[in-house]
Amino acid sequence: QAQLTESGGGLVQAGGSLRLSCAASGSISSINAVDWYHQAPGKYRELVAALSSGGITNYADSVKGRFTISRDNAKNTVYLQMNSLKAEDTGVYQCNGVVTIATRTYSYWGQGTQVTVSS
């Protein structure tokens, strides 16, 4: 079964770092473009980082200079390196990827991973 699976969340003190992973499995042959979303408690989900199929990155103003999105094609995995974490970074992080299965492309969501930043 094709899926994207996030991992790497957890509890960290303010100022600390975490690296989230979004790994493709099953019949997914490649991840093309990927977006990372953040949903804080009681708030709407927001896009925080994007990586295009051509390698162009974009970040929300709130995370610029602190978060870095990258990919490892050999592992079919996309990462979100989060540094200098703040309490407001707390929430669920989900990846949404445009993936290739056989000769077609599809949009998949991961299940999310919880990040809690203590102040």
Side-chain angles (χ1 to χ4, degrees):
Q1 182 178 357
Q3 58 182 359
L4 295 179
T5 305
E6 299 98 334
S7 61
L11 174 63
V12 63
Q13 288 189 330
S17 298
L18 285 173
R19 189 178 76 160
L20 307 184
S21 299
C22 173
S25 60
S27 54
I28 296 174
S29 56
S30 65
I31 303 177
N32 305 322
V34 172
D35 297 330
W36 279 100
Y37 287 83
H38 168 227
Q39 186 164 20
K43 295 190 176 181
Y44 291 107
R45 184 168 57 194
E46 63 170 353
L47 177 65
V48 294
L51 176 63
S52 75
S53 57
I56 296 173
T57 58
N58 280 288
Y59 300 94
D61 288 343
S62 59
V63 306
K64 276 181 183 175
R66 300 189 298 122
F67 290 12
T68 303
I69 188 171
S70 62
R71 74 164 85 231
D72 184 334
N73 290 330
K75 295 182 178 180
N76 245 354
T77 299
V78 174
Y79 303 100
L80 184 67
Q81 178 68 44
M82 307 189 297
N83 299 328
S84 303
L85 283 162
K86 306 175 181 179
E88 52 263 43
D89 295 322
T90 292
V92 176
Y93 286 78
Q94 277 184 292
C95 62
N96 174 239
V98 176
V99 305
T100 299
I101 300 175
T103 60
R104 302 185 68 178
T105 58
Y106 302 85
S107 177
Y108 272 78
W109 285 91
Q111 83 289 350
T113 186
Q114 174 71 40
V115 170
T116 303
V117 183
S118 63
S119 56

